[in-house]
Amino acid sequence: MRAIRVHRFGTPDVLGPVDVPEPEPAPGEVLIRSIATGINPVDDKTREGAIGEGTPPLPMTLGWDLAGIVVDGGDSGLRAGERVIAMSHQLGTGRGTWADLVALPARAVSVAPRAIDLVEAATLPLPGLTAAQTLDWLAVTAGERLLIAGAAGAVGGLALQIARARGVRVDALVSRAEQVGFAREHGAGLVTTDPRDLPSRSYDAVFDTFGAFVTEAVADGGRYASIATQAGPVPDLSSRGVRTTVHQVREDGAGLRELSGLVDRGSLRPRVHAAFGLHEIRAAHERFAQGRLTGKIAMIF
Ligand SMILES: NC(=O)c1ccc[n+]([C@@H]2O[C@H](COP(=O)([O-])OP(=O)(O)OC[C@H]3O[C@@H](n4cnc5c(N)ncnc54)[C@H](OP(=O)(O)O)[C@@H]3O)[C@@H](O)[C@H]2O)c1
């Protein structure tokens, strides 16, 4: 079978499908035939060798996101032929999803949403779980005020929709004028490209997706979560009673089931900017690296 395996770190030129043995599912695992996957910033950083300590040993199969069809559900309750989505913590386990067949622990797998196709669904797991888990940490409740920095990005755009579905009042900091419409259409109140427009010490919670560190916006006693690991820790705000974290996404099949439910109820929709075939993997990565995307880059097996 084919897998996108990295034998040395570098530019997208190091990527290309290679022939590897098919995985044998261990007890408790589900064997999935891949239909599509997505490219996430972490894949880029891993390929470049920019992660450093904690990177799995070479050669390694890349990829965190997966949408596919169950080949062997083991004792998971998932049946052969069922449509599923999964997120594999590739950095933590070395189990990449960019392969024709992937064996994953059942706890990382969920039924896929029925309302969208598997190419769209493949772009949901990593950004969606990051969004939902970070919102859970922030514990924002209906009627509270949340600021999302990077609200039109992959994680931010899903966080905006999930927060709105939870009845949270959301304002949005975005990077460029073209993103204002997206944030407004998805229920953001104040939408700005300029952090100076943000009201001071007003938000019950801030969800920071790019290391904006707009700490002046969070209310005293509030919560501030960043996911931008590479930007370092959130400044210490304990003197103002503000709790802070840099959230790290976890494998979570139950969380994926909740995301599938939100999609099927019409409250959540992942966005695909473009889809590439696996043989176009370098072109897919070059497009990803150019930025200015209006959704995810998907890859189809
Ligand atoms: N800790 C974790 O577990 C975890 C999980 C997932 C992702 N991440 C990290 O979180 C970050 C976001 O991931 P993502 O997939 O959502 O990336 P993304 O799709 O590129 O989203 C980032 C968003 O932030 C915007 N942005 C960047 N700089 C900005 C600025 N100065 N002002 C306003 N907006 C700005 C970007 O705008 P443009 O489109 O104009 O660039 C984009 O809309 C990445 O660094 C990723 O590695 C961490």
Side-chain angles (χ1 to χ4, degrees):
M1 68 163 194
R2 299 166 304 166
I4 305 296
R5 203 166 263 194
V6 175
H7 290 261
R8 63 187 165 86
F9 297 119
T11 63
D13 292 344
V14 302
L15 297 172
V18 292
D19 236 348
V20 299
E22 294 186 0
E24 288 283 337
E29 290 188 344
V30 179
L31 184 65
I32 303 164
R33 177 164 296 286
S34 305
I35 299 294
T37 183
I39 304 178
N40 289 292
V42 66
D43 300 312
D44 237 16
K45 293 170 197 156
T46 307
R47 188 206 67 236
E48 286 167 358
I51 301 282
E53 203 181 324
T55 310
L58 295 174
M60 73 170 111
T61 303
L62 289 172
W64 291 55
D65 280 336
L66 182 63
I69 307 287
V70 174
V71 175
D72 180 352
D75 57 10
S76 68
L78 293 162
R79 296 180 314 277
E82 207 157 356
R83 298 161 79 252
V84 288
I85 55 175
M87 189 204 85
S88 176
H89 197 299
Q90 188 268 349
L91 274 184
T93 63
R95 277 191 311 252
T97 58
W98 294 357
D100 282 321
L101 287 166
V102 180
L104 289 175
R107 65 172 185 281
V109 184
S110 155
V111 290
R114 291 180 303 276
I116 56 176
D117 64 37
L118 287 178
V119 177
E120 279 180 278
T123 66
L124 184 61
L126 170 61
L129 283 181
T130 307
Q133 291 171 1
T134 306
L135 287 171
D136 288 346
W137 185 88
L138 287 167
V140 264
T141 52
E144 281 196 310
R145 292 188 73 191
L146 170 70
L147 171 70
I148 302 179
V155 175
L158 296 172
L160 168 58
Q161 297 175 64
I162 297 167
R164 292 295 298 140
R166 294 181 183 182
V168 177
R169 292 188 290 154
V170 185
D171 287 348
L173 176 64
V174 297
S175 71
R176 43 198 158 90
E178 302 94 289
Q179 297 179 334
V180 171
F182 167 84
R184 288 239 164 84
E185 279 158 29
H186 289 82
L190 172 74
V191 183
T192 182
T193 56
D194 187 345
R196 289 171 303 186
D197 292 341
L198 298 171
S200 185
R201 303 201 179 193
S202 296
Y203 295 98
D204 299 297
V206 176
F207 187 154
D208 184 347
T209 73
F210 66 89
F213 297 140
V214 282
T215 52
E216 196 44 37
V218 67
D220 292 349
R223 294 87 76 193
Y224 195 112
S226 165
I227 56 163
T229 316
Q230 75 287 351
V234 180
D236 182 6
L237 301 172
S238 55
S239 64
R240 292 173 46 205
V242 176
R243 289 194 301 127
T244 61
T245 194
V246 178
H247 180 76
Q248 300 298 331
V249 69
R250 302 178 305 274
E251 293 180 356
D252 180 7
L256 289 176
R257 268 192 298 285
E258 282 178 29
L259 293 172
S260 290
L262 281 173
V263 172
D264 287 339
R265 288 195 293 280
S267 301
L268 181 65
R269 186 88 198 227
R271 291 168 297 156
V272 176
H273 181 96
F276 291 79
L278 203 64
H279 62 286
E280 302 171 298
I281 183 143
R282 290 180 194 166
H285 278 74
E286 277 152 17
R287 180 63 198 90
F288 181 77
Q290 282 163 16
R292 301 186 79 81
L293 299 169
T294 54
K296 299 291 296 176
I297 298 293
M299 290 193 300
I300 304 175
F301 285 83

